[in-house]
Amino acid sequence: MSGPLDGLRVLEIASAAPAPFACMMLADFGADVVTVDRPAKPGRTPRRPKDPLVRSRRSVVADLKTPEGVATVRRLATRADILVEGFRPGVMERLGLGPEVLAELNPALIFARMTGYGQDGPLAPRAGHDINYIAVAGALEPIGRAGQRPLPPLNLVGDFGGGGMLLAVGILAALHERSQSGRGQVVDAAMVDGAALLTAFVHGVRAEGHWSDERGTNLLDGGAPFYDTYRTADGGHMAVGALERRFYEQLLVGLGLDDDPSLPGQLDRDGWAHLRTRFAEAFASRTRDEWSAVFADLDACVSPVLAPHEAPDGEHATARAGFVDVAGVRQPAPAPRFSRTPATEPTPPRLPGEDTEQVLTDWDCMPALAGIRTDNEVAAS
């Protein structure tokens, strides 16, 4: 066995960001993920050859605007456990590949849909990106400094945390239910729902009266001086998460402020501005590496802020083999980890259509090969 999902067949209709992220995870766990790519066109790059999101799967080419391409996907769907698509609502239906059609061919098929706003509701047909989905979900507004506008947190909250990760969880839940019922179902994963789900904690603390609606004034949003980042002498930064009293006391020890009687109390909000100034002055006196050494043996929840290109060489990441090299591209290793069925070693992205004939053979779909061309044949025509 090469992973906990070994033997599972996933048919992925090529799309962007969140759905490929979910399929990357399924492939990491050993599923046989086959991507249906569009035929190549001059001047269009169908996928990034170094993109970790499309690692560890095979590719077939099918033109979904032709009867032959639709027939190929239908045949593959009869052999698949899961189909993943990331179109706007109604597109798969118009192509003749909607869940009702495919359920007649394969009643056990799990039809996983990844959209921004979901399959219904007034915004369902609208275009959007991560920033739009998290804005509507209430996840964007709290992020940012006090008195400043909301700050987009890359596309981590909508596309990946509230999108691809949500889709993967939904698929696994549907697989469990199918193991009992023998029937597939539709998984409607919307980034607006997932982003809202990620804010559950905020709704709870607000209901308890422990959350201010003024951005950047709370414990976890940069409002507290002991939960923030600070610039160091070399232009780097240190992250401070000394929430609990015992960690805060160790923070003061590391900064050399533990014997300063002029410091206000940790939870004295009126004194937070003064604390922030003192912390900033202290951190600015040494480099990031020097502060990392100072706090190495102090349980103060203080860490160096590493850039993405630095993270693979971090001491902890190195010890845990948290990053892997795939065809010269360093990228996060599969996660989580399993004791008996470790994840498969990631493989590089394939060229669109590179595996068409082999996949159709492996999935017992060879009759569908008629009229289907490999990517090289399309490019040469």
Side-chain angles (χ1 to χ4, degrees):
M1 180 173 288
S2 57
L5 297 183
D6 182 60
L8 196 72
R9 288 178 172 177
V10 180
L11 185 63
E12 174 192 16
I13 309 301
S15 60
F21 178 74
C23 290
M24 179 197 76
M25 295 183 66
L26 300 178
D28 286 346
F29 298 159
D32 181 9
V33 179
V34 170
T35 303
V36 178
D37 283 303
R38 292 181 293 176
K41 288 186 178 180
R44 184 178 74 189
T45 302
R47 66 170 56 179
R48 300 195 302 275
K50 296 182 179 181
D51 185 3
L53 297 183
V54 293
R55 70 190 186 192
S56 301
R57 60 261 240 175
R58 298 187 287 175
S59 169
V60 303
V61 160
D63 188 347
L64 301 186
K65 296 182 179 179
T66 67
E68 293 84 4
V70 170
T72 298
V73 173
R74 286 181 177 178
R75 183 173 289 272
L76 287 167
T78 66
R79 307 296 187 186
D81 294 290
I82 303 155
L83 182 143
V84 177
E85 61 99 355
F87 295 133
R88 292 197 211 184
V91 172
M92 288 291 281
E93 285 82 353
R94 290 195 293 273
L95 292 171
L97 296 170
E100 292 184 0
V101 171
L102 298 187
E104 290 184 1
L105 301 174
N106 181 0
L109 180 69
I110 293 169
F111 197 107
R113 319 193 79 162
M114 182 78 262
T115 60
Y117 295 115
Q119 296 299 311
D120 51 36
L123 294 178
R126 296 282 294 275
H129 286 294
D130 182 292
I131 192 170
N132 307 113
Y133 310 137
I134 69 174
V136 173
L140 175 60
E141 198 278 339
I143 301 175
R145 291 293 181 183
Q148 298 183 20
R149 64 185 185 276
L151 181 66
L154 299 180
N155 61 335
L156 302 179
V157 176
D159 280 351
F160 301 119
M165 195 77 73
L166 182 79
L167 180 65
V169 171
I171 288 171
L172 297 179
L175 281 171
H176 172 72
E177 193 282 333
R178 191 184 69 175
S179 70
Q180 299 174 321
S181 69
R183 300 169 58 194
Q185 61 181 304
V186 174
V187 177
D188 175 6
M191 284 175 266
V192 68
D193 296 340
L197 194 63
L198 293 175
T199 68
F201 168 79
V202 174
H203 287 277
V205 294
R206 187 177 185 275
E208 294 170 351
H210 301 311
W211 182 268
S212 168
D213 290 333
E214 183 180 352
R215 186 181 310 110
T217 62
N218 295 282
L219 281 177
L220 303 179
D221 62 3
F226 45 86
Y227 198 89
D228 206 346
T229 60
Y230 292 91
R231 188 177 181 87
T232 56
D234 57 345
H237 293 86
M238 297 295 290
V240 176
L243 288 173
E244 291 81 1
R245 182 66 189 179
R246 65 183 184 278
F247 302 139
Y248 181 76
E249 290 174 349
Q250 290 295 289
L251 167 66
L252 297 184
V253 170
L255 294 177
L257 299 175
D258 52 315
D259 292 327
D260 187 343
S262 69
L263 285 186
Q266 178 186 5
L267 300 181
D268 178 7
R269 287 178 175 264
D270 292 335
W272 278 5
H274 180 64
L275 275 181
R276 192 182 307 279
T277 297
R278 296 297 304 277
F279 292 172
E281 291 172 348
F283 276 113
S285 68
R286 300 186 186 185
T287 67
R288 188 186 67 177
D289 288 347
E290 288 173 335
W291 282 119
S292 296
V294 167
F295 284 101
D297 297 322
L298 291 175
D299 205 14
C301 299
V302 177
S303 310
V305 177
L306 303 181
H309 70 272
E310 296 177 300
D313 294 320
E315 181 181 13
H316 190 74
T318 300
R320 282 181 56 82
F323 289 78
V324 294
D325 187 297
V326 181
V329 180
R330 301 179 83 183
Q331 54 196 264
R337 306 180 183 199
F338 302 88
S339 62
R340 291 189 299 101
T341 56
T344 59
E345 182 177 346
T347 57
R350 306 283 285 175
L351 292 174
E354 187 173 354
D355 308 293
T356 299
E357 186 170 352
Q358 188 62 54
V359 167
L360 293 174
T361 299
D362 292 348
W363 285 27
D364 194 24
C365 296
M366 277 304 291
L369 189 59
I372 303 301
R373 296 179 291 173
T374 66
D375 186 63
N376 290 336
E377 292 171 331
V378 172
S381 61

